[in-house]
Amino acid sequence: MHLRAASKASPGRSYRVADGLTSPAFADDRYAMRGFWCRQLIERLIAAEHGGGGWGYAPTREPAGEPTAWASLALSAHAAAPEQSRRGLDFLVRVQRSDGGVPVVSIVDLPCWATGPALLAWKTADSNPAYSDPSR
């Protein structure tokens, strides 16, 4: 379902209702705002990294598989902070179990639902030339 903009500045312009866009001024700024918020969130991810790689469920918590996988995936997908992302990916390799699973936290073998996000993070990094590491 679409709404027609009722503005003289943009006659006949359509906006999707699902976007919640009813103001042409807001619609024009949505891409700029998305870029702004992405940069802000990337900076927060970089700041939250633990020394030696890895992210925890909270800034004061120990690094864990799931948040590390998601943070590394986000940084790789945005081609941001390759060193931090590599450290996170290396953390995932260090905690990976012999059967290939990635535990949620390094001191607990099961559950290992972090395996899926870890696979996505590794694949995304492998497909991005900025993150390729010829030594691996």
Side-chain angles (χ1 to χ4, degrees):
M1 181 175 191
H2 287 77
L3 294 175
R4 289 270 175 214
S7 167
K8 292 180 182 177
S10 57
R13 199 165 181 184
S14 294
Y15 302 106
R16 289 181 36 222
V17 171
D19 290 339
L21 302 176
T22 57
S23 165
F26 179 75
D28 292 339
D29 290 340
R30 70 180 171 178
Y31 296 108
M33 288 303 294
R34 183 178 62 186
F36 170 78
W37 287 114
C38 283
R39 285 189 304 277
Q40 293 293 312
L41 293 171
I42 287 168
E43 288 175 17
R44 287 179 65 185
L45 278 175
I46 292 168
E49 180 203 4
H50 287 263
W55 282 261
Y57 283 102
T60 58
R61 307 277 304 270
E62 71 176 74
E66 185 181 26
T68 297
W70 289 123
S72 296
L73 176 62
L75 293 174
S76 296
H78 287 275
E83 288 305 313
Q84 286 86 352
S85 182
R86 270 194 208 104
R87 286 194 297 266
L89 297 170
D90 290 342
F91 170 84
L92 295 171
V93 170
R94 287 193 307 271
V95 299
Q96 189 176 26
R97 298 180 346 190
S98 61
D99 68 357
V102 175
V104 176
V105 292
S106 59
I107 59 171
V108 178
D109 258 354
L110 293 173
C112 58
W113 66 74
T115 304
L119 289 170
L120 287 171
W122 286 323
K123 180 64 176 172
T124 302
D126 283 347
S127 64
N128 186 335
Y131 292 86
S132 64
D133 183 355
S135 66
R136 284 197 240 176

